[in-house]
Amino acid sequence: MTTFKCIDSLEENSVDVYLEVSSILLRLVDNVLHYPSNPKYRKLRLENKVVSTVILPSIGGMECLFELGFQEGDDALLLPPESTSVEKLTRFREEISNRRNKYLKEKPNVNAPGGNQGGEPKQTCNERQSTPQPEAAATPSLQTVVNSTNQFLNQLQKYSSMVLQYEQEATKRKAISVIPLNEISERVQKSMRHHQQVALKNSEPLDEASIQEALFINELMKWFKNDFFEWMNSPKCDLCKCESRFVEMSSDPKELVHSDRVEVYKCGGCSARILFPRINDVTKLFDTRRGRCGEWANAFTALCRALGYEARFVLDATDHVWTEVYFKSLQRWVHCDACECALDKPLLYEKGWGKKLTYVIGFSCDGAQDVTWRYSAHHDAVRARRNLCSEEQLVQTLVKLNQIRQANLSAARRKILARRTVVELVDLMVPAKETEGDSQGRLSGSLAWRLARHETTLQQAERTSYVWTPTKLEVEGKKMVISYCAGKDQYLRVGGETVKGWNSCVFSAENVFRKEEKDWKTVYLCRTEGSNEGKVSWQVDVSNSGLKVHQVEVTCLSTTYHNGCVALTLCSGDICIPVINGDLKTSQFRGSSVITLSAVLTGGEGEVAWQHAQLFRQPSDSSEVVLQISVTLT
């Protein structure tokens, strides 16, 4: 008897979902066989609850309908009499019935087709527990997975629980309701026709299945980025509509009711206090539709799951998140970054953004996977930077998380996942190769924000990538003090160590040079002649010292003329604080490992506008410090 591959796909679901969907399919086939001339049994409306909430979200459900001969209409699936094969329907019924009987013998508590005793709710991916609220406390079974003293491993637990919200039926319904499927599908079909015409003209073969998947995800990302979601650097004031600046993270319990992280901003006009909660509940994100990469990846991954794609929420420990979607046509996981509208460009972050990757972990309802190696062409360098836990601890944690997530899956589904993992691990052993577009710098976020994070395209050409790390003496004293004198053009640090040359110790620089006015016996940093913008930054990284940042003090001298402007920003992660009047003392980065001071020089008038925004102006014979970064460690 011929095996139906769509039934193989159907068995990738959990036992309960498989039994429910197969029961519905049996009823559909029986109705057609018993009443072959009745058109009512040959039409399934897409808005039908059984179709939209049971068959559509399942793996292989729609494929089975198409295998039986159903075709897409305007608002329904139709089974034309001419496409109906009684022999095929009979063989399908016999095979799926035989397979169901095996499952029913293994699951004696199931008495009714597709149902379970006691009226317990069904889940499409994980039936062991009710889906927890996003980023809520882990369930008892998860709390025992890792040592709670390791913050990184605990974070893996949190994300493993967070992604379960994508499997809730209410979440999927909300997701489907916001997606303009007809518009996206029309654009996909238009692009597909173009590919077909080109292939026909050139007499070339065309892999329509893989192109179709790529086109759909790409169009979904375009809609998400351009029409649906909004990037938020800092919220505008509701009262006076002025820009605001970050002040602190809220510690007020009343403000932390709906989110465990709330950023506090101050309006630049009326000084009003503005709150920006970092929301993890995707159903709320479908309403607010704004945020930074965390909110973007969370919402986009949920949309992919609602559309029936297997999808992962991917965490980059160096501060970014994105999505991976499993392409059935390619039999592999594909990188998707909705923030950048980037598809299958895994080296984007290492090569384009200049990231020093450490851990990249993907989370789905089926488990977690270390996918770091997909995103790097320099595996040895990455391994040398991985120090948040031992490799053995990481592997043990991921194995236990996967065991919990897959405990109630069918044997067939677990077998498929195991085989897929083996194939993926083999692929990950080979360093990634550069593809077109991997050198693109970051596009999302304001220029100043991207500059502070060193993720712009132009920066990569001129960056020197010098990073200040604590010496043995500084570790013992738990304090780093980095100073610069423009007159002597040298850096000085604790212990008397000096380094000559302003650009020898900067992390990045663009369109900036050291200007010496011999007539006035004055020196300073400014933009190169003719440039509209100059940028320079310094970075401190204490991650290899075993210590964390406790407090940061910055003194940075700047001078402007006419309408010249020097914008100074101190950043750690996605939190940036402006350095007002060249001085800042803050504890807001407590617990961080990396801080970055950035300066953007703009403005000025006339032919010498490039000189009207200056850093470190002082007499050329001066020995005074014009830049000082002091970091207290703990």
Side-chain angles (χ1 to χ4, degrees):
M1 182 172 60
T2 304
T3 299
F4 292 90
K5 291 185 178 180
C6 59
I7 302 180
D8 293 338
S9 298
L10 198 64
E11 287 186 323
E12 294 183 30
N13 294 285
S14 66
V15 175
D16 286 342
V17 172
Y18 172 76
L19 291 174
E20 183 174 18
V21 176
S22 60
S23 174
I24 295 170
L25 293 172
L26 284 175
R27 290 200 299 271
L28 290 173
V29 171
D30 285 344
N31 285 335
V32 175
L33 290 174
H34 294 159
Y35 308 100
S37 60
N38 192 332
K40 136 173 148 173
Y41 296 118
R42 295 175 173 271
K43 183 174 183 179
L44 288 174
R45 292 193 176 276
L46 294 176
E47 62 185 23
N48 183 289
K49 188 175 181 180
V50 171
V51 176
S52 62
T53 65
V54 181
I55 297 179
L56 183 62
S58 69
I59 303 170
M62 294 299 289
E63 286 88 341
C64 285
L65 291 178
F66 293 142
E67 180 68 30
L68 292 173
F70 280 88
Q71 300 174 8
E72 291 187 69
D74 292 335
D75 61 349
L77 296 174
L78 305 173
L79 182 62
E82 63 273 13
S83 69
T84 305
S85 167
V86 174
E87 181 184 358
K88 189 174 188 178
L89 291 175
T90 304
R91 284 191 289 105
F92 180 91
R93 191 197 188 290
E94 182 179 349
E95 181 173 348
I96 201 169
S97 179
N98 289 337
R99 295 200 196 188
R100 272 180 56 81
N101 289 335
K102 294 180 181 179
Y103 283 97
L104 292 171
K105 290 178 182 179
E106 296 174 0
K107 193 176 178 66
N109 287 336
V110 180
N111 294 330
N116 47 355
Q117 282 187 331
E120 293 187 6
K122 305 177 186 66
Q123 294 185 356
T124 59
C125 206
N126 182 357
E127 310 80 32
R128 292 161 296 286
Q129 58 192 27
S130 59
T131 305
Q133 290 300 312
E135 296 204 10
T139 62
S141 59
L142 276 177
Q143 288 177 340
T144 60
V145 172
V146 298
N147 186 344
S148 61
T149 61
N150 189 302
Q151 184 177 357
F152 174 64
L153 296 181
N154 283 334
Q155 188 181 33
L156 302 188
Q157 280 189 161
K158 181 184 70 172
Y159 283 105
S160 182
S161 294
M162 187 197 77
V163 298
L164 294 183
Q165 64 179 313
Y166 308 151
E167 311 310 315
Q168 295 177 339
E169 289 304 320
T171 301
K172 291 184 177 182
R173 286 195 297 271
K174 185 70 174 287
I176 293 296
S177 71
V178 301
I179 303 174
L181 275 175
N182 290 337
E183 296 176 17
I184 292 175
S185 297
E186 287 176 4
R187 290 196 290 269
V188 170
Q189 293 309 314
K190 182 178 180 180
S191 298
M192 177 57 78
R193 285 194 293 272
H194 171 72
H195 282 280
Q196 291 169 336
Q197 290 169 359
V198 171
L200 182 62
K201 180 180 180 181
N202 299 328
S203 300
E204 296 175 345
L206 188 66
D207 185 355
E208 293 197 6
S210 62
I211 292 176
Q212 185 86 16
E213 281 188 301
L215 287 175
F216 185 86
I217 293 298
N218 202 44
E219 289 296 339
L220 186 68
M221 285 196 295
K222 286 181 182 178
W223 161 76
F224 188 90
K225 180 179 176 67
N226 299 326
D227 303 323
F228 184 69
F229 229 72
E230 176 187 359
W231 186 269
M232 211 291 298
N233 291 301
S234 58
K236 286 189 176 182
C237 179
D238 291 334
L239 299 176
C240 66
K241 307 302 180 184
C242 290
E243 300 291 338
S244 64
R245 64 180 181 87
F246 176 80
V247 178
E248 61 184 353
M249 298 299 293
S250 175
S251 58
D252 186 345
K254 294 180 180 179
E255 295 175 344
L256 296 172
V257 173
H258 300 296
S259 177
D260 60 358
R261 288 190 304 146
V262 176
E263 298 172 1
V264 180
Y265 292 79
K266 183 178 180 180
C267 174
C270 65
S271 298
R273 179 183 171 90
I274 306 170
L275 302 181
F276 178 62
R278 303 303 302 273
I279 298 172
N280 289 315
D281 185 338
V282 290
T283 57
K284 292 181 181 178
L285 288 177
F286 293 152
D287 293 326
T288 62
R289 302 184 182 187
R290 66 172 186 167
R292 293 195 281 276
C293 60
E295 289 86 358
W296 280 60
N298 199 5
F300 186 76
T301 308
L303 293 177
C304 291
R305 285 296 297 133
L307 289 169
Y309 286 93
E310 293 186 65
R312 287 171 172 167
F313 179 94
V314 181
L315 168 70
D316 162 22
T318 62
D319 192 33
H320 189 46
V321 287
W322 58 87
T323 304
E324 284 186 349
V325 174
Y326 190 80
F327 277 24
K328 289 186 177 180
S329 59
L330 301 177
Q331 293 292 293
R332 67 178 176 89
W333 290 95
V334 176
H335 155 256
C336 308
D337 191 329
C339 297
E340 306 299 298
C341 213
L343 180 66
D344 205 12
K345 300 187 183 304
L347 289 185
L348 175 69
Y349 313 111
E350 184 178 79
K351 184 170 179 61
W353 297 16
K355 271 182 168 290
K356 305 296 184 183
L357 297 172
T358 54
Y359 301 89
V360 182
I361 313 294
F363 301 91
S364 72
C365 61
D366 288 325
Q369 176 66 46
D370 182 0
V371 295
T372 308
W373 320 108
R374 176 176 294 124
Y375 297 92
S376 174
H378 307 289
H379 288 187
D380 290 340
V382 172
R383 274 191 288 269
R385 292 192 292 266
R386 285 162 66 107
N387 56 12
L388 298 181
C389 65
S390 71
E391 295 299 320
E392 183 180 3
Q393 285 178 312
L394 177 60
V395 171
Q396 289 177 349
T397 299
L398 296 179
V399 167
K400 290 178 181 177
L401 287 175
N402 290 342
Q403 288 174 345
I404 291 172
R405 289 286 166 258
Q406 298 174 19
N408 246 23
L409 297 182
S410 66
R413 176 63 175 168
R414 287 198 298 270
K415 184 177 180 180
I416 288 171
L417 292 175
R419 183 168 61 247
R420 185 186 293 175
T421 298
V422 171
V423 173
E424 182 175 25
L425 290 175
V426 171
D427 290 341
L428 293 176
M429 292 174 65
V430 181
K433 294 182 179 180
E434 183 179 352
T435 59
E436 183 180 354
D438 284 340
S439 298
Q440 173 67 53
R442 186 168 192 153
L443 301 176
S444 53
S446 67
L447 178 60
W449 188 79
R450 286 179 282 145
L451 171 67
R453 296 167 60 93
H454 316 289
E455 295 168 351
T456 62
T457 304
L458 295 177
Q459 277 182 297
Q460 310 308 318
E462 297 185 53
R463 70 185 300 175
T464 60
S465 296
Y466 185 89
V467 177
W468 292 88
T469 58
T471 63
K472 182 178 179 181
L473 186 63
E474 290 168 336
V475 171
E476 292 173 352
K478 294 186 178 180
K479 189 169 186 178
M480 296 178 67
V481 180
I482 301 162
S483 305
Y484 173 73
C485 171
K488 293 185 176 181
D489 192 24
Q490 71 178 19
Y491 293 89
L492 175 68
R493 66 193 304 182
V494 175
E497 177 186 350
T498 61
V499 181
K500 190 71 174 176
W502 73 273
N503 59 351
S504 62
C505 294
V506 300
F507 187 74
S508 65
E510 179 187 347
N511 299 332
V512 172
F513 79 112
R514 181 175 179 267
K515 171 71 173 174
E516 184 173 0
E517 295 181 347
K518 294 184 178 179
D519 293 343
W520 297 93
K521 296 182 179 180
T522 302
V523 294
Y524 51 85
L525 300 188
C526 65
R527 307 198 307 267
T528 54
E529 187 171 357
S531 61
N532 294 321
E533 183 178 68
K535 297 172 284 190
V536 60
S537 66
W538 297 262
Q539 186 172 100
V540 176
D541 186 346
V542 302
S543 57
N544 290 330
S545 67
L547 301 174
K548 297 289 185 180
V549 172
H550 178 71
Q551 183 174 275
V552 184
E553 292 185 60
V554 172
T555 298
C556 186
L557 181 67
S558 64
T559 307
T560 59
Y561 300 91
H562 300 290
N563 65 345
C565 177
V566 175
L568 297 168
T569 311
L570 187 67
C571 295
S572 180
D574 58 3
I575 302 299
C576 293
I577 304 176
V579 181
I580 307 298
N581 298 324
D583 287 293
L584 176 68
K585 182 177 181 180
T586 180
S587 299
Q588 293 303 315
F589 301 136
R590 184 174 298 173
S592 300
S593 297
V594 181
I595 59 169
T596 306
L597 175 66
S598 301
V600 180
L601 285 60
T602 56
E605 294 181 359
E607 296 181 356
V608 292
W610 52 276
Q611 289 182 280
H612 290 167
Q614 303 175 3
L615 280 175
F616 315 146
R617 182 183 178 92
Q618 68 178 157
S620 54
D621 61 354
S622 175
S623 59
E624 293 183 2
V625 169
V626 287
L627 168 68
Q628 183 165 286
I629 304 173
S630 178
V631 184
T632 305
L633 306 174
T634 183

